[in-house]
Amino acid sequence: MAIFCALATLALGASPTFAQQGNPAILAEIEDPLAAAEAYQQQLFTRVAPSVIFIAQGGSFGSGFFINDTGLALTNKHVVGKAKSVTVVFQDGRKRQAKVVEVAGDAVDLALIQVDIKSSPALELSGFNDLRVGSWVGSVGHGSGGIWSFATGMVSNIYVSKEDRSLFQTQIPLNPGASGGPVFDRKGRVAGVVTSGILNTNSVNFAIRIDVAFDSLEKLSKDCDCLTIRAPKGVPIFVNGRAIGKGPRLRITPTAGSLEVFVVIGGKMQKKTISYPKTREITFK
């Protein structure tokens, strides 16, 4: 309304001079969307940053983040290397030793470490549900530009790697040392884990979708507060009329309530209506 009134005043009156356009009195009447965006991003950083940890191993370092309140943290396999334990530093300066408790198999660049701490601020692992090309994403990590650095961008591509693992590309400007840090959506929910970038390029970085962690790490496989849908490999899966992914296995974190899930196999539609979270697994054959 303030913007409309200001524009109407300008339209009915004489054209403002350059000086008038920059008049603080006039600008004060117009709502400031940039201030609102700044405030929201600052609050988001304040909420996410305490969950991010600095990880040192040998002569290298990387990032990680807490995924529960008992000190379990997720990072990259290449960040911990072959070490049995690593040193972690919290945002408030505290330093602890952490044990490497699980490393993902195959070519999945993920690992879990157990930090010696009684209580840890965890991030919600459900941002992958609404991930789309063009989605706003942010990351907090420890790139060569500084520790606990906040960078933002958007999702520029989503695809499946040669190892049949879900990855997405971002335009977030990240540097070596940010690996293992969270990529989160505008609500602060983790969508992925920073894994690598292309050297000699600007802002071309990749993240592993967070649902891959539930598939690849045994300690997390039973902790996913989500719906698992199984279908033949490559078969599109639809929830409430919207395509959300393909078989053989898909995990989503839907809102509680009734869901209509269907697939088309061999030219025939198979449809199931379920109530989530009462039902947490569906299989189509």
Side-chain angles (χ1 to χ4, degrees):
M1 181 61 71
I3 294 176
F4 176 80
C5 291
L7 292 176
T9 300
L10 295 177
L12 293 173
S15 298
T17 65
F18 179 79
Q20 288 175 325
Q21 289 176 356
N23 190 319
I26 294 177
L27 294 177
E29 296 179 3
I30 303 176
E31 295 179 359
D32 188 348
L34 291 180
E38 284 181 353
Y40 186 82
Q41 288 191 142
Q42 290 162 359
Q43 292 173 10
L44 192 58
F45 172 77
T46 299
R47 178 152 55 94
V48 171
S51 301
V52 178
I53 54 177
F54 179 95
I55 302 175
Q57 187 275 121
S60 62
F61 68 92
S63 307
F65 57 97
F66 290 116
I67 58 175
N68 69 13
D69 60 1
T70 59
L72 190 65
L74 184 61
T75 186
N76 285 151
K77 182 192 301 186
H78 79 261
V79 169
V80 299
K82 296 182 179 180
K84 300 296 183 181
S85 64
V86 294
T87 300
V88 302
V89 181
F90 308 142
Q91 191 188 25
D92 60 10
R94 288 177 297 163
K95 183 184 295 187
R96 294 285 189 279
Q97 287 298 117
K99 181 180 179 182
V100 178
V101 293
E102 187 175 358
V103 173
D106 301 324
V108 182
D109 188 21
L110 294 173
L112 288 171
I113 61 174
Q114 181 63 54
V115 185
D116 182 18
I117 186 175
K118 293 182 179 180
S119 179
S120 52
L123 295 178
E124 183 181 345
L125 308 181
S126 62
F128 65 91
N129 211 34
D130 299 317
L131 201 64
R132 302 287 185 275
V133 172
S135 295
W136 183 96
V137 283
S139 185
V140 174
H142 315 299
S144 56
I147 55 175
W148 279 275
S149 296
F150 182 25
T152 64
M154 74 171 187
V155 175
S156 52
N157 201 359
I158 301 175
Y159 55 91
V160 177
S161 71
K162 294 180 180 179
E163 293 79 22
D164 197 30
R165 299 297 181 182
S166 296
L167 299 172
F168 60 95
Q169 179 182 329
T170 78
Q171 290 183 328
I172 302 174
L174 299 172
N175 294 303
S179 292
V183 175
F184 47 86
D185 66 8
R186 66 183 187 278
K187 297 180 181 179
R189 305 174 303 179
V190 177
V193 183
V194 177
T195 183
S196 62
I198 298 179
L199 297 178
N200 302 319
T201 60
N202 294 321
S203 302
V204 180
N205 294 283
F206 298 91
I208 304 170
R209 276 176 51 123
I210 194 63
D211 51 322
V212 173
F214 294 115
D215 291 336
S216 307
L217 297 166
E218 185 178 350
K219 289 184 177 296
L220 293 185
S221 61
K222 297 180 180 180
D223 293 337
C224 181
D225 187 15
C226 51
L227 172 66
T228 301
I229 306 171
R230 290 183 170 84
K233 186 175 181 179
V235 171
I237 298 172
F238 296 80
V239 175
N240 291 340
R242 181 167 64 90
I244 58 170
K246 298 180 179 180
R249 180 167 58 181
L250 181 70
R251 284 193 168 104
I252 61 172
T253 55
T255 302
S258 179
L259 298 173
E260 182 181 86
V261 185
F262 74 85
V263 297
V264 178
I265 302 175
K268 296 183 178 180
M269 177 187 288
Q270 296 184 33
K271 182 169 61 176
K272 297 183 180 182
T273 301
I274 60 103
S275 177
Y276 178 82
K278 183 177 181 180
T279 299
R280 290 180 174 268
E281 187 169 322
I282 305 174
T283 300
F284 293 98
K285 298 181 180 179

